[in-house]
Amino acid sequence: MIIDAHVHLSLYDGNANSLADSKTVLLDEMRRRGIDRAIVIPDSQEARYDIAGFETARTLIDDADPLDLLGSPDILDGRVQDFDRYEILLADRTIHGLKFFPGHEPYYPTDSRCLPYYEIGQRQRLPVVFHTGENPENRDAARFNDPKYIAEVTERFPALSVVITHYFWPRIEYCYEVTKDVPNIDFELAGTADGAVVRASGGIGAMRDVLGRMIQDHPSQVMLGTDWPMCNIQGHLDLVDSLGLNQPTATGCWVETRRPFSNCRYDITNP
Ligand SMILES: [Zn+2]
């Protein structure tokens, strides 16, 4: 089973006419690329026309769809105290983890407003996912999501499953150095095959090299993600295939990374 652990229901580059339509396009694309299930990440803001927030995504996704949802707490709006609500959504597996957007939004992973959510994730044994790296329109954004802060979170919450997405591009070697000895960080590959990301990060050779080492170090802690529709699914499948890890190794790494269901700690086997 191949699971894409990072997609959005959103309008991008004329892919769809509506958010409902974008779900249809996504399901088509998954069928075409051999993706069995996908995890939809809602935006932290509701009521945007171009990307589904949690409530919109929940109404668009049917039980029969091979799609599962994360939650995306709004950290900046001090009026929103959503801890109880998210605890229930996680407990009944309406959502399968929480996504945080430091850098997209001006807060650090160590921000005190985030900590109660990490406690909930730890208690419910479900992961928290951190956006990392630059934003094309705001390079300064990366100072908020430096993996050194994410490593601090893992020290403070040792039983919490923590996931880094986008590998802190373009500083991928730095991300490797900062995280290589941290036991409880998982990695999800969304964006790492995107042309602009690859170019800014030193080229495809540099990307393959660092991801190859990271997968060797953490063979059961890496999962496929694509960031569809901003990035294309096939490019990410090709990148992973090109790592030359698709034969089981002594540690069984590649088979496992292609099957995040079995090991990625997103408990979506019992929705
Ligand atoms: Zn994304």
Side-chain angles (χ1 to χ4, degrees):
M1 179 178 285
I2 300 180
I3 299 152
D4 183 340
H6 188 144
V7 301
H8 301 278
L9 295 180
S10 63
L11 305 183
Y12 181 76
D13 208 16
N15 67 323
N17 294 318
S18 67
L19 294 175
D21 192 17
S22 95
K23 186 190 84 170
T24 308
V25 176
L26 169 62
L27 294 176
D28 272 355
E29 183 64 6
M30 287 169 61
R31 266 191 295 275
R32 199 171 304 138
R33 308 300 171 191
I35 304 289
D36 299 290
R37 289 192 81 83
I39 297 173
V40 173
I41 301 182
D43 196 69
S44 60
Q45 308 298 312
E46 295 289 347
R48 280 179 59 174
Y49 79 98
D50 58 340
I51 182 166
F54 171 68
E55 293 300 342
T56 304
R58 187 146 77 147
T59 54
L60 291 177
I61 294 173
D62 301 322
D63 285 346
D65 292 329
L67 302 174
D68 298 285
L69 260 176
L70 298 189
S72 300
D74 185 350
I75 300 303
L76 295 180
D77 189 341
R79 296 164 303 175
V80 180
Q81 295 287 307
D82 268 348
F83 310 130
D84 294 345
R85 176 165 162 259
Y86 275 104
E87 177 115 52
I88 293 165
L89 291 168
L90 288 164
D92 67 14
R93 300 309 194 243
T94 302
I95 57 176
H96 302 276
L98 298 172
K99 171 79 186 282
F100 294 87
F101 296 88
H104 265 299
E105 295 164 350
Y107 68 88
Y108 294 90
T110 46
D111 191 302
S112 62
R113 291 169 291 186
C114 300
L115 306 185
Y117 291 108
Y118 304 159
E119 266 159 36
I120 295 168
Q122 187 165 251
R123 204 157 48 233
Q124 299 287 345
R125 299 180 171 281
L126 288 170
V128 300
V129 184
F130 291 103
H131 171 87
T132 69
E134 291 185 356
N135 297 338
E137 67 283 5
N138 176 14
R139 300 191 58 193
D140 187 45
R143 73 187 165 91
F144 288 103
N145 55 51
D146 189 312
K148 71 183 179 188
Y149 301 123
I150 297 168
E152 277 179 41
V153 171
T154 70
E155 271 169 39
R156 199 151 163 189
F157 298 89
L160 178 65
S161 177
V162 170
V163 182
I164 284 180
T165 182
H166 311 316
Y167 215 66
F168 196 52
W169 78 281
R171 296 180 63 199
I172 55 177
E173 273 303 329
Y174 172 81
C175 187
Y176 178 80
E177 287 303 321
V178 169
T179 60
K180 71 176 193 295
D181 296 320
V182 180
N184 52 330
I185 295 183
D186 291 3
F187 302 90
E188 176 262 282
L189 299 176
T192 55
D194 177 73
V197 167
V198 168
R199 274 191 300 281
S201 304
I204 192 65
M207 185 63 83
R208 280 195 194 117
D209 179 57
V210 77
L211 294 183
R213 276 180 281 138
M214 181 266 278
I215 290 172
Q216 293 292 345
D217 291 351
H218 307 275
S220 62
Q221 290 170 268
V222 184
M223 57 197 111
L224 176 72
T226 65
D227 220 352
W228 188 93
M230 288 232 304
C231 301
N232 77 71
I233 291 173
Q234 190 60 48
H236 286 74
L237 292 173
D238 292 345
L239 171 64
V240 168
D241 283 338
S242 80
L243 297 177
L245 299 167
N246 34 354
Q247 297 302 316
T249 66
T251 51
C253 82
W254 178 227
V255 171
E256 294 306 314
T257 57
R258 199 86 184 242
R259 291 182 173 174
F261 241 40
S262 59
N263 68 358
C264 79
R265 302 181 199 164
Y266 285 103
D267 177 11
I268 46 183
T269 49
N270 186 21

